[in-house]
Amino acid sequence: MSQTQEPPSPQFAPVPAATDGGGRFASWRNAPRRSRGLSLRTLVILRWMAIAGQSATIAVATAWFHFDLPLWGCLAVIAASVAMNLNATARLKRSDGPASDGTLTAAHLGFDILQLSALLALTGGLQNPFCLLLVAPVTVAAASLPGRQAALMGLMVLAATIALFFFSMPLPWQAGTELELPALYRFGTGLALITGVVFTAAYAWRVAADAEKLELALATTQDVLQREQRLAALGGLAAAAAHELGTPLATIQVVARELLRASPRDGPAAEDAALILQQAERCRDILKQLSQQPGEGDAAFADVGLKALLEEVVEPHRGFDLAFEVSVRTASGEAAPRVRRLPEVVHGLSTLVENAADFANSRVRVQALVDAGFIEIEVVDDGPGIPADILPRLGEPYVTSRPQGKARRALAAQIAASVAAAAPGRKSRKKARSDPAPETIAPSQGGMGLGFFIAHTLLERTGGKVSVGAGDGGKGQPRGARVSIRWPRPALEVAPS
């Protein structure tokens, strides 16, 4: 059997990200609501409504009240809005969906402010009671756009209000009469308009912010529920696997014991059989833990010293050409606290230590830091580290590129050494030169990418907060990876009696 040597792969290499129903729109769906703006279809519908209202108002004022309007100028301004909407409609038909963004929404709202200001300038400026409609675009911007773009819309309305105070045509009135309102009244109307814009926009901004918080809380709740459902499904699979694997594991142990009895003492075959028995016994212990309920066995779930807990999760991984450092530091030099031996904590920390051992080059450090309010446990390795593009997706299921771990490489080396030692020695020297040396047997590679997901979920269930970052590697050295879990002391510490 042969092995292809590969360069070390970084921790958690990327896997294709879910597009959630469409690759080009996945990032838009995940964007904060304030930066999305309105859909182009919504903008088109709102503008058609504005065009219909403006056209009806001009028609009634001209045909019913016989106001002397600059009709062709007003129609030209409305025609510009119609042309803008036809262009937006054509663009909407060419696009693949209704998605929009904040910049496009701001551009359309800015055009609406300019169009309405031009129409008001032709029909009396601030003397026209319809100048209050300038509040609408700013309110929409405050509810759907980021702060800078919403503020820009507000500044445009402020500039339009000042311009309408100084530059506007007379207010249309019945033929033969002219209505001229005093400047103080127009100033008051402009001041009321600005005040209304500020208060209405601020109100819309706060309502939108509260709605955004509720939306985020709902999304977080749904994510937690999905995690719990996945974990429950994995628990069922684990229970089924524990039941199904019992029989073949017992068969492996029986055959390994027979091989041990039939092999010469201290021979390579006896060492292989003993190794198989040792690993099979470990598998049996794991299956027993999978099928065990948290309430079973008082001793297994009693409180332990913090360092004893760390030693427990590290012990199964010692002896595979790795240096493990286990330490506990307290803020004031006091004795390390005793903590609850929760199955979720034991399993989660064991998974993190195993992952660090698989990626580490030579050293893994497991350290607990205790202060007045928190207990923090760090698992640090000197491996290649975690790529920046993978970091945001850590904790999701099926994100993995687990390399050949230290434990598995050591196990493969032992098996390869046994194969080499058991090779026949009766070959001629010439033939021995021509035969290639036995190559290292490659252990099975890859994983399902569920280990970190399960560990992350279990540790957070106990009240811990999991964070991931770079290790202690300096310049020119592998940067390594660091996983920290931080609990409030009451969540993990056993109260002294």
Side-chain angles (χ1 to χ4, degrees):
M1 300 178 70
S2 63
Q3 176 191 25
T4 302
Q5 299 292 336
E6 297 180 356
S9 54
Q11 294 188 13
F12 307 105
V15 297
T19 57
D20 193 22
R24 65 174 293 187
F25 295 109
S27 60
W28 175 81
R29 288 192 180 94
N30 294 328
R33 184 185 56 79
R34 285 288 186 88
S35 62
R36 292 183 191 173
L38 299 176
S39 68
L40 189 57
R41 187 183 305 278
T42 301
L43 294 170
V44 168
I45 293 174
L46 291 176
R47 187 172 292 112
W48 282 128
M49 293 172 60
I51 291 171
Q54 293 168 1
S55 302
T57 302
I58 291 176
V60 170
T62 303
W64 185 267
F65 292 105
H66 305 288
F67 286 170
D68 187 15
L69 290 171
L71 186 60
W72 292 109
C74 294
L75 292 179
V77 173
I78 295 176
S81 187
V82 171
M84 181 72 172
N85 231 25
L86 291 176
N87 179 69
T89 303
R91 180 177 178 178
L92 182 62
K93 290 180 179 180
R94 291 193 302 267
S95 64
D96 297 333
S100 182
D101 56 28
T103 303
L104 183 62
T105 300
H108 279 264
L109 293 177
F111 172 82
D112 291 337
I113 292 173
L114 294 176
Q115 189 264 355
L116 181 58
S117 300
L119 196 58
L120 289 172
L122 294 173
T123 56
L126 295 181
Q127 300 177 87
N128 191 329
F130 288 102
C131 66
L132 292 178
L133 292 176
L134 286 172
V135 174
V138 183
T139 304
V140 173
S144 61
L145 293 180
R148 291 183 179 180
Q149 295 174 344
L152 179 61
M153 298 299 102
L155 290 176
M156 288 184 64
V157 170
L158 175 62
T161 303
I162 296 174
L164 290 174
F165 179 81
F166 291 103
F167 309 103
S168 65
M169 296 181 66
L171 179 67
W173 206 247
Q174 294 178 348
T177 60
E178 182 177 347
L179 180 63
E180 181 67 28
L181 298 176
L184 182 60
Y185 178 85
R186 289 185 287 117
F187 177 79
T189 302
L191 185 60
L193 177 60
I194 297 300
T195 304
V197 165
V198 171
F199 278 94
T200 307
Y203 177 80
W205 177 269
R206 289 303 309 165
V207 170
D210 290 342
E212 191 172 8
K213 291 178 181 178
L214 291 176
E215 182 181 353
L216 179 60
L218 177 61
T220 304
T221 303
Q222 290 175 342
D223 180 67
V224 171
L225 290 176
Q226 289 178 357
R227 284 174 175 266
E228 295 297 331
Q229 291 171 357
R230 292 172 183 169
L231 196 61
L234 291 174
L237 291 175
H243 176 72
E244 297 293 336
L245 290 175
T247 300
L249 190 59
T251 303
I252 292 174
Q253 288 181 309
V254 170
V255 174
R257 288 192 182 95
E258 294 297 329
L259 289 175
L260 185 60
R261 292 193 189 98
S263 302
R265 189 182 300 272
D266 298 332
E271 292 181 2
D272 293 343
L275 180 62
I276 293 173
L277 280 174
Q278 178 187 357
Q279 297 300 318
E281 190 62 33
R282 183 183 174 191
C283 291
R284 182 172 291 280
D285 292 339
I286 294 173
L287 294 179
K288 186 185 298 184
Q289 292 177 4
L290 288 176
S291 59
Q292 192 174 29
Q293 297 297 324
E296 296 177 1
D298 294 337
F301 296 95
D303 58 279
V304 294
L306 183 54
K307 187 167 185 180
L309 177 67
L310 300 184
E311 291 286 356
E312 178 183 353
V313 299
V314 166
E315 186 60 32
H317 309 285
R318 294 187 186 273
F320 291 113
D321 195 25
L322 278 178
F324 283 89
E325 301 176 11
V326 179
S327 62
V328 176
R329 292 191 337 187
T330 56
S332 57
E334 60 184 2
R338 296 186 65 81
V339 296
R340 298 180 182 87
R341 190 187 177 280
L342 301 174
E344 296 91 341
V345 174
V346 174
H347 181 84
L349 291 178
S350 297
T351 301
L352 296 180
V353 171
E354 180 180 4
N355 188 73
D358 278 344
F359 287 97
N361 292 323
S362 60
R363 182 174 61 89
V364 175
R365 190 180 83 239
V366 182
Q367 177 177 273
L369 306 173
V370 182
D371 58 21
F374 295 93
I375 296 177
E376 182 173 358
I377 296 178
E378 292 183 344
V379 180
V380 185
D381 64 69
D382 61 349
I386 305 171
D389 55 337
I390 293 301
L391 207 54
R393 294 193 294 118
L394 281 182
E396 298 179 7
Y398 310 111
V399 177
T400 183
S401 78
R402 180 181 292 272
Q404 299 178 13
K406 288 284 183 180
R408 285 174 290 171
R409 288 201 297 268
L411 179 60
Q414 292 181 24
I415 298 175
S418 300
V419 172
R426 295 191 296 269
K427 295 181 181 179
S428 64
R429 184 172 301 177
K430 181 177 180 180
K431 188 174 182 180
R433 290 196 192 100
S434 61
D435 288 345
E439 297 184 359
T440 306
I441 299 174
S444 60
Q445 302 184 35
M448 295 181 65
L450 297 175
F452 192 86
F453 161 71
I454 295 174
H456 186 276
T457 303
L458 289 176
L459 292 171
E460 286 195 340
R461 180 183 291 179
T462 63
K465 182 178 181 181
V466 182
S467 59
V468 184
D472 300 330
K475 187 175 181 181
Q477 300 177 346
R479 60 178 180 176
R482 179 191 308 272
V483 182
S484 302
I485 313 97
R486 187 177 177 89
W487 291 271
R489 287 189 67 160
L492 201 60
E493 184 180 12
V494 175
S497 55

